[in-house]
């Protein structure tokens, strides 16, 4: 954002040094990247007065001019412009002066006559495009005066880097508001004296229809008739040049001027080129072709927002107007648009089409909905004044989504705690008022603050506290060590961080490789996985369409890592990631519920491809074994697994729980999803809730178990079971028997007879007594008791 110092002083009476202003702005978060003198190339030019003009004796198209430049003698200058005349005040480049194009003025003879300087045109000074006519000054400046002072050109312009969360500072008036708060100076709003033509009511002539209220909460338009399109006056052209904007004509220049002054983009249509009496805001049709003002036809999609008249699109909303309704030299009726568009929609369109403009830059960050009517009226007033037009009475307007004020509770105790300052109510109230906030009645040690519509970044109490620290000056804030309630050696470590570190150490110890991904994913990624729309946390200003939402699950990042590795020839992967997932929860202060998760991904060969390992791919049991090992290490419990048939992206899938807590899911990624990763083999994936596991881990008490002194007795038991009976059911019955000498039970074999619809499970039962050697009869008795219990509780038999 280029800030003109003289323009700033129209709204706030700052009379300090430009360096001090730059420093204070930088200290409040508006970094001044450089201080520019935009017209320094004109510093050697002066005002001259043409005292005499006579024809050149040797050239019909040249004139001999005697010019007073404030010296002891007048200069003789040969001029070829047809409009030079006696008594004019002109721009003169003296001998030795260097023009913007690099031309150095020297004393020379032209057709036998001395020329001691040069009378310049606007084009030669890069102040306009007219190269045939000399520049004639409208004021009566003293000869010899600086041309910069005579034209009231901007001497200093500050190049300010405005962060994306501060759209209110993308205007001169917005920055004036900041300067007012910083230095405690009064703020003067731009003047408005709009004179409407009382004979016509434009609000009844044109109907505004908004098909997509989410994309356009407000649309309004005015009509200015009887306009004359011509160059803007010098003061406006020079101010636009200082701000880096090329002047075009008085109508278009007004829209750019108001955008720079108030921060709200506007657009002017040639009313004669519009069809019908309706303005419609609607999405484009897929594949529609549209030609904006740059005359390059572009293909649109169904997410692009367009402005339509009765029959055709006339503008790419918030980005650029259409070439089919452009203001031209013959335009006499202007339809002036001032609207509010959805920032995300504008950003996506501008980025996809590569069509960035000053308008889209501001709409992408958000504009002031309540301030839009004032911007429209001020622009209409200037168009009427500079274009000799008549502003029709009334505004064509539609506002399907009115602005809803935001109120935030502010507590001084909280502010003093965070800032290490002792701020009183009067100071806080005065500061918030200077920023445009409305302060309510005192409630306890705080009060409610109504946030102005141009500050979307103020949504929480901590944002208001940050404003106090920012305006007070973070560089002035005293340094205080935080109060420590107990000695350092008693400080507890961050249990969450410590637990996650243990998980990472466990995974690395098993040979898994850690991946770290962005928290942002794309809507298309979540749609591919079949995840619901509910709960998605959208990013307001995404870096790209591929990162426009916070991740609900960790799998998009793992699949991206898989795709990248497969593309580089790495076909055996053992990956893990510990990170947070994000889900919308309006009951929380932040509006987002965060959950620590662990994701595991297996792909390709089970073993490394060298002797003596066989070639076999990882399967479900490899993944389940990792999960069981995790639970055994951190919860001293192998957990429970059950078949799950309704998972959005895993099939087959099993759910996992421990001690009654649901932990997550594991299974094979659906093949239609795996294809998008160019995977030729099965992808096995597990997603586990680390917060739930942490609760169980915190309750586990390590206990000492002495080394066994007596031998074990192992007995095998083979059961004939139905095909749908899971081993977990068998193991649950075995453990429920609570046999005191049973040390372990394990499945060692499964056999499927070809002639029967059953399976045979062979269990190996390990018995041991801690204080003596077991007798065969004791083991036989417990073995028989277990067999009888299994036959009673389950549909099993013995072969």
């Amino acid at each position: 954002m280029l800030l003109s110092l003289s323009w700033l002083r129209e709204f706030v009476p700052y009379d300090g040094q430009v360096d001090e202003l730059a420093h204070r702005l930088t200290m409040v978060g508006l970094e001044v990247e450089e201080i520019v003198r935009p017209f320094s190339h004109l510093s050697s030019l002066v005002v001259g007065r043409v005292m005499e003009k006579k024809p050149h004796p040797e050239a019909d198209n040249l004139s001999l001019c005697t010019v007073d430049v404030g010296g002891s003698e007048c200069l003789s200058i040969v001029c070829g412009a047809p409009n030079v005349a006696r008594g004019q005040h002109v721009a003169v480049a003296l001998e030795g002066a260097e023009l913007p194009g690099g031309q150095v003025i020297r004393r020379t003879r032209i057709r036998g006559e001395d020329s001691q300087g040069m009378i310049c045109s606007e084009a030669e000074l890069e102040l306009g495009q007219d190269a045939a006519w000399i520049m004639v000054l409208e004021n009566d400046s003293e000869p010899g005066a600086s041309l910069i002072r005579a034209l009231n050109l901007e001497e200093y312009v500050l190049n300010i880097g405005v962060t994306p969360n501060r759209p209110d500072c993308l205007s001169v008036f917005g920055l004036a508001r900041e300067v007012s708060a910083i230095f405690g100076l009064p703020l003067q709003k731009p003047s408005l004296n709009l004179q409407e033509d009382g004979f016509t009511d434009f609000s009844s002539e044109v109907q505004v229809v908004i098909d997509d209220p989410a994309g356009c909460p407000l649309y309004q338009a005015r009509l200015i008739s009887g306009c004359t399109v011509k160059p803007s006056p010098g003061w406006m052209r020079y101010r636009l040049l200082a701000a880096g904007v090329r002047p075009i004509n008085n109508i278009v220049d007004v829209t750019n001027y108001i955008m720079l002054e108030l921060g709200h983009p506007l657009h002017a249509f040639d009313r004669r080129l519009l069809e019908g009496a309706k303005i419609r805001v609607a999405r484009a049709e897929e594949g529609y072709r549209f030609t904006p003002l740059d005359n390059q036809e572009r293909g649109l999609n169904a997410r692009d927002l367009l402005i339509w008249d009765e029959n055709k699109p006339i503008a790419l909303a918030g980005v650029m107007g259409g070439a089919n309704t452009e203001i031209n030299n013959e335009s006499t009726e202007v339809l002036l648009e001032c609207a509010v568009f959805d920032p995300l929609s504008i950003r996506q369109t501008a980025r996809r089409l590569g069509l960035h403009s000053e308008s889209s830059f501001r709409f992408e960050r958000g504009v002031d909905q309540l301030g839009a009517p004032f911007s429209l009226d001020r622009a209409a007033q200037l168009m009427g004044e500079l274009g000799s037009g008549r502003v029709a009475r009334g505004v064509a307007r539609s506002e399907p989504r009115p602005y809803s004020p935001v109120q935030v509770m502010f507590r001084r105790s909280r502010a003093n705690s965070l800032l290490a300052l002792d701020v009183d109510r009067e100071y806080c109230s005065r500061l918030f008022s200077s920023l445009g906030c409305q302060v309510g009645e005192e409630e306890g040690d705080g009060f409610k603050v109504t946030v102005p519509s141009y500050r979307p970044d103020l949504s929480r109490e901590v944002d208001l506290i940050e404003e106090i620290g920012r305006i007070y000056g973070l560089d002035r804030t005293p340094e205080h060590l935080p109060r420590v309630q107990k000695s350092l050696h008693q400080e507890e470590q961050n249990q969450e961080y410590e637990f996650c570190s243990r998980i990472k150490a466990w995974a690395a110890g098993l040979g898994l490789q850690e991946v770290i991904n962005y928290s942002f994913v794309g809507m298309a990624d979540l749609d591919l996985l079949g995840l619901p729309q509910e709960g998605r946390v959208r990013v307001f200003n995404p870096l790209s369409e591929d990162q426009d939402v916070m991740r609900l699950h960790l799998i998009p990042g793992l699949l991206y890592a898989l795709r990248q590795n497969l593309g580089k020839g790495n076909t055996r992967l053992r990956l893990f990631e510990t990170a947070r997932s994000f889900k919308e929860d309006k009951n929380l202060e932040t509006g987002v519920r965060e959950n620590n998760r662990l994701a595991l991904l297996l792909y390709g060969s089970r073993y490394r491809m060298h002797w003596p390992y066989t070639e076999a791919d990882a399967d479900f049991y490899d993944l389940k074994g990792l999960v069981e090992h995790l639970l055994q290490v951190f919860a001293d419990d192998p957990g429970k697994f059950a078949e799950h048939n309704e998972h959005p992206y895993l099939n087959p899938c099993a759910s996992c729980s421990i001690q009654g807590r649901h932990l997550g899911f594991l299974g094979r990624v659906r093949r239609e999803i795996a294809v998008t990763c160019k995977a030729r083999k099965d992808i096995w994936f597990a997603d586990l809730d680390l917060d739930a596991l942490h609760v169980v881990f915190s309750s586990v008490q390590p206990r000492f178990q002495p080394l066994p002194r007596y031998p074990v007795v192992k007995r095998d038991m083979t059961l004939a079971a139905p095909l749908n009976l899971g081993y977990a059911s068998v193991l649950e019955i075995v453990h429920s028997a609570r046999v005191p000498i049973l040390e372990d039970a394990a499945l060692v074999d499964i056999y499927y007879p070809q002639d029967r619809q059953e399976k045979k499970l062979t269990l190996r039962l390990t018995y041991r007594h801690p204080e003596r050697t077991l007798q065969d009869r004791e083991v036989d008795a417990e073995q028989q008791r277990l067999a009888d219990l299994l036959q009673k509780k389950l549909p099993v038999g013995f072969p």
Side-chain angles (χ1 to χ4, degrees), residues 46-87:
V46 299
V47 176
R49 178 180 173 84
V50 181
M51 306 302 295
E52 183 182 5
K53 172 201 170 184
K54 57 184 180 180
H56 193 290
E58 300 296 332
D60 295 337
N61 295 327
L62 299 179
S63 302
L64 292 179
C65 301
T66 302
V67 183
D68 180 9
V69 292
S72 57
E73 296 181 359
C74 293
L75 301 182
S76 176
I77 300 177
V78 177
C79 180
N83 66 320
V84 64
R86 182 176 181 272

Side-chain angles (χ1 to χ4, degrees), residues 632-643:
Q632 196 69 56
V633 170
F634 288 92
D636 194 25
D637 188 328
K640 294 183 178 180
F641 299 85
E643 186 177 3

